[in-house]
Amino acid sequence: MKKRPWKKTALFLGLFLMLAGCAHRPDALPGGADTQNAAMVQGESLVPEGGDREAAGSSQKTGGTDQGGSRQDSKTGEPLQELEVHFLDVGQGDSTLVICGGQVLLVDAGDNDQGIKVQNYLKKKGISFLDYVICTHPDADHIGGIDVVLYKFDCGTLLMTKEERDTKTYQDVAEVMKEKGYQKRLPQVGDQYILGDASFTIVGPYREDEAGNNNSIAILLTHGENTILLTGDAEEEEELDMLFGDIPLAADVYKAGHHGSSSSSCQEFLDVVQPSYAVISCGEDNAYGHPHAETLDKFRAMGVQVFRTDEQGTVTVTSDGQGFAWNCSPSDTWKMGEPTGNGGENGQTGESAGGTGSEESPGESQETGSADGTIRYICNVSTRKFHDPDCSGVERMDEKNKLSVTATREELIGQGYEPCGICKP
């Protein structure tokens, strides 16, 4: 019988093509469908469980490490985009600017007289759009400048709590939101947001508390191996809530809660966070004595390096995903705040010059206090006690320690003041 070698050749060629086709199935390649699904199961996705994965789109990033040890994006093989965090000097207030990969997050904007200062800082950085704005809670020293910022800059996502205030400061913010068509998004613990090659997770508040400080939005920034924790004015009650949550709170950098007040940064919280660095945002010679000695003593005992806006102005830190670079050396004074009759920078508190009296924070001195009965209490900035205006203790008080305020009882206690034992305000 005559041999037909072409049959053997055709059989070999068909087998080769079959094998080549299997080898080129898309889901068999690294990064294909099977690999991607496995990464999501392992928690690599930056979208919260139950969240909208489509909304995150291609912005999801997964970190990796090259042979030299530097953090890399596993998709591109390129080094992580640098993260910048600016703890702005806004006197006795709070404002933090975060930039990564061209995306921008602004957390609070100081008091009413600081809005233009924050605006100018953003312009100097070449910022024209804010991807995220967070109003941690509606105290004037946190949202006072937000109306200016929202009016001057377009914003993608505005995060605020449900809490509203019957104050001019809050109404100013509400009016700008209405004018520009902004709707606030309520924080949900566990929600995550992409910020370039970084992300931030909502870690508080867990519940709506009667005290405004304990309603503060708290976030954990993650960039490669580095973490930064911002807690607004959260006090011990909210800090303990966060400890009982499911989100790990260990952080390299901790922005000291409530301007370094002893009402925040409880030891149980610090024992879990274990920060290497702490940043305190407060005004020089502020009326509250921030930072308090108790907080500084805890930081010192734990070996935490401290940066302070009252001593060093705006503090900036950059992250490459593994380490940090600061624009100044840590403070070595360990000096507690010394309360005075001034309520923050330039003696301004709550509202800007020419505005109405604030109801959110201990405010105007007796010389500038309202004469129509809006003064609620008289504080002794030396003993840290507050009194009814007609208390006998007020008459014996040294004038230099006397501070007339429009704040509520709960707000004063939240600021570290104690009620007088005689008049029991």
Side-chain angles (χ1 to χ4, degrees), residues 133-138 143 146 150 158-164 170 173-174 177 183-187 215 217:
V133 172
I134 296 178
C135 300
T136 58
H137 64 298
I143 68 162
I146 285 290
L150 291 181
L158 176 61
L159 281 158
M160 299 175 71
T161 64
K162 284 195 246 183
E163 186 182 6
E164 297 181 356
Y170 188 86
V173 175
M177 289 172 59
Q183 296 292 324
K184 66 181 178 182
R185 177 178 294 183
L186 300 178
N215 288 332
I217 298 176

Side-chain angles (χ1 to χ4, degrees), residues 86-327:
H86 304 252
F87 302 94
L88 303 186
D89 177 14
V90 288
Q92 183 57 25
D94 246 355
S95 185
T96 305
L97 173 66
V98 185
I99 307 170
C100 186
Q103 291 193 294
V104 181
L105 161 66
L106 180 69
V107 183
D108 294 328
D111 217 324
N112 290 273
D113 60 339
Q114 298 294 317
I116 294 177
K117 183 175 183 178
V118 174
Q119 172 196 341
N120 289 338
Y121 194 93
L122 296 175
K123 285 185 174 179
K124 186 177 179 181
K125 295 295 296 180
I127 294 169
S128 58
F129 178 79
L130 300 171
D131 296 273
Y132 308 98
V133 172
I134 296 178
C135 300
T136 58
H137 64 298
D139 278 1
D141 60 328
H142 289 253
I143 68 162
I146 285 290
D147 56 335
V148 173
V149 172
L150 291 181
Y151 184 78
K152 295 292 185 179
F153 299 88
D154 287 336
C155 165
T157 300
L158 176 61
L159 281 158
M160 299 175 71
T161 64
K162 284 195 246 183
E163 186 182 6
E164 297 181 356
R165 295 276 179 87
D166 185 20
T167 61
K168 185 177 186 301
T169 297
Y170 188 86
Q171 292 305 317
D172 287 344
V173 175
E175 287 175 10
V176 173
M177 289 172 59
K178 182 178 179 180
E179 181 177 342
K180 298 198 73 173
Y182 291 142
Q183 296 292 324
K184 66 181 178 182
R185 177 178 294 183
L186 300 178
Q188 299 293 325
V189 172
D191 282 359
Q192 293 179 295
Y193 298 86
I194 306 300
L195 188 73
D197 280 348
S199 68
F200 63 93
T201 304
I202 306 296
V203 296
Y206 275 80
R207 55 197 167 112
E208 189 170 352
D209 191 271
E210 290 183 2
N213 287 341
N214 283 320
N215 288 332
S216 293
I217 298 176
I219 66 170
L220 183 68
L221 277 164
T222 302
H223 182 240
E225 298 174 0
N226 294 338
T227 49
I228 301 172
L229 181 63
L230 311 176
T231 62
D233 276 359
E235 297 179 325
E236 182 174 356
E237 187 171 351
E238 184 179 346
E239 290 174 347
L240 294 178
D241 282 347
M242 287 188 269
L243 291 186
F244 288 106
D246 297 327
I247 302 174
L249 295 173
D252 303 294
V253 180
Y254 166 54
K255 186 171 183 299
H258 200 185
H259 318 284
S261 169
S262 60
S263 64
S264 302
S265 303
C266 69
Q267 192 61 57
E268 296 91 336
F269 189 69
L270 292 179
D271 287 343
V272 171
V273 176
Q274 285 290 314
S276 298
Y277 310 96
V279 180
I280 301 173
S281 179
C282 61
E284 186 178 6
D285 298 327
N286 63 85
Y288 314 104
H290 295 155
H292 290 161
E294 297 92 325
T295 303
L296 292 174
D297 288 346
K298 292 173 189 174
F299 289 153
R300 194 169 192 173
M302 295 177 70
V304 177
Q305 298 186 63
V306 174
F307 297 84
R308 301 171 51 159
T309 61
D310 62 333
E311 293 182 349
Q312 298 162 296
T314 293
V315 175
T316 302
V317 61
T318 56
S319 162
D320 63 1
Q322 282 198 317
F324 297 95
W326 299 83
N327 71 328

Side-chain angles (χ1 to χ4, degrees), residues 370-384:
S370 173
D372 59 1
T374 59
I375 295 296
R376 287 181 174 149
Y377 301 106
I378 307 296
C379 292
N380 186 322
V381 297
S382 177
T383 64
R384 307 288 295 171

Side-chain angles (χ1 to χ4, degrees), residues 354-420:
T356 59
S358 170
E359 299 176 14
E360 286 124 311
S361 55
E364 303 147 329
S365 65
Q366 190 137 16
E367 290 71 27
T368 60
S370 173
D372 59 1
T374 59
I375 295 296
R376 287 181 174 149
Y377 301 106
I378 307 296
C379 292
N380 186 322
V381 297
S382 177
T383 64
R384 307 288 295 171
K385 294 186 182 297
F386 64 94
H387 310 251
D388 283 329
D390 57 356
C391 176
S392 60
V394 174
E395 297 178 5
R396 300 190 298 271
M397 200 181 297
D398 192 321
E399 285 297 323
K400 71 179 181 180
N401 294 328
K402 193 181 296 185
L403 178 68
S404 300
V405 299
T406 60
T408 65
R409 185 178 192 277
E410 291 75 18
E411 288 165 344
L412 286 173
I413 292 174
Q415 298 290 350
Y417 283 88
E418 299 176 359
C420 167

